[in-house]
Amino acid sequence: MAAGNVHTAPNTGRSHTVGLRSDGTVSATGWNGDGQCEVGGWRDVTAVAAGWRRTLGVLADGRVLAAGRGAEGQCDVQSWREMVDLSCGDWHSVGVRSDGSALASGNNRRGQCDVEAWRDLVAISAGYLHTLGLRADGRAVATGERATGACEVGAWEDVVALDAGSCHTVGVTASGRVLAVGDNTHGQCDVGDWRDVVAVAAGSSHTLALRGDGTVVAAGNNADGQCEVGDWSGVQLP
């Protein structure tokens, strides 16, 4: 599944949700003002990503489909080939090729699309105005807006997964510890004491982590109850 998240601001809030079935078809629900939910005809899809007003899908042959808003160039992915991972920021889209290189399209006002030199990637994640890449050696790279501190990942080592929030970045190490940098206005980076974590996810201003025992922990903005996961159990990675 993928959620069309967007940074928290007075003029935002509407979003959509996308689901990928085991047979390669896609479903979507929610706000469809730009046609971002018109994915019912997609077939042979292996991965999906959702951003503000758009949806992307990777086909089994490595090509990419797009639906929704493309005014900033974020849907200009028709020429992408051999893709294995995708992510959507607010106004930019990024992806990883099978050879470990990266592609990006869309708004590049803060340099969030400057990923052409990245190599040996295994994953990628786009935030509001920044982009993260995870290399096969467990190191992280970042580009984009520097003022929030969300790109300060140069010292990270032994990382196995990461995710970009709107203005913060989180990662999990092979030992199960969680790392976080960037905006901490709501305590979304207060994750230093979390242990036995196998996956992390960053929202606009909150952070979630899945422990090896199937429980979930959360930190950050809970204005809409998004951190009320204390009773969750039996959660598993796909």
Side-chain angles (χ1 to χ4, degrees):
M1 292 188 296
N5 200 12
V6 61
H7 74 284
T8 302
N11 65 333
T12 64
R14 292 180 290 179
S15 60
H16 69 296
T17 300
V18 183
L20 173 61
R21 296 189 184 95
S22 59
D23 65 359
T25 60
V26 180
S27 292
T29 187
W31 181 38
N32 193 35
D34 291 273
Q36 59 266 44
C37 291
E38 296 173 6
V39 298
W42 290 8
R43 298 290 184 272
D44 204 26
V45 176
T46 60
V48 291
W52 188 47
R53 301 188 178 193
R54 75 188 180 286
T55 302
L56 301 181
V58 181
L59 295 171
D61 64 5
R63 292 180 297 120
V64 180
L65 302 175
R69 180 184 173 98
E72 293 79 27
Q74 62 270 61
C75 287
D76 294 344
V77 296
Q78 294 83 359
S79 64
W80 291 11
R81 296 291 185 271
E82 299 179 355
M83 306 307 296
V84 296
D85 191 28
L86 290 176
S87 184
C88 296
D90 275 25
W91 299 300
H92 72 296
S93 302
V94 296
V96 176
R97 289 193 187 107
S98 57
D99 65 359
S101 61
L103 291 174
S105 63
N107 187 310
N108 195 34
R109 191 171 300 170
R110 297 292 193 276
Q112 61 265 45
C113 291
D114 294 341
V115 301
E116 295 84 0
W118 290 2
R119 295 293 183 268
D120 201 28
L121 297 182
V122 295
I124 201 162
S125 183
Y128 170 35
L129 294 172
H130 72 295
T131 301
L132 305 169
L134 176 61
R135 299 193 322 204
D137 63 1
R139 302 299 295 266
V141 289
T143 187
E145 175 62 67
R146 299 280 171 175
T148 63
C151 289
E152 296 177 4
V153 298
W156 288 10
E157 297 180 344
D158 206 23
V159 177
V160 296
L162 48 69
D163 198 26
S166 287
C167 299
H168 74 296
T169 298
V170 295
V172 58
T173 69
S175 65
R177 296 184 302 109
V178 180
L179 308 171
V181 293
D183 178 57
N184 196 34
T185 303
H186 299 277
Q188 60 265 47
C189 291
D190 294 339
V191 298
D193 60 348
W194 292 359
R195 295 293 184 270
D196 192 32
V197 170
V198 296
V200 287
S204 176
S205 55
H206 73 296
T207 301
L208 300 174
L210 173 63
R211 291 195 180 107
D213 63 2
T215 60
V216 180
V217 289
N221 189 348
N222 194 38
D224 298 303
Q226 59 265 54
C227 290
E228 296 175 5
V229 297
D231 60 348
W232 289 14
S233 62
V235 180
Q236 298 180 348
L237 289 172

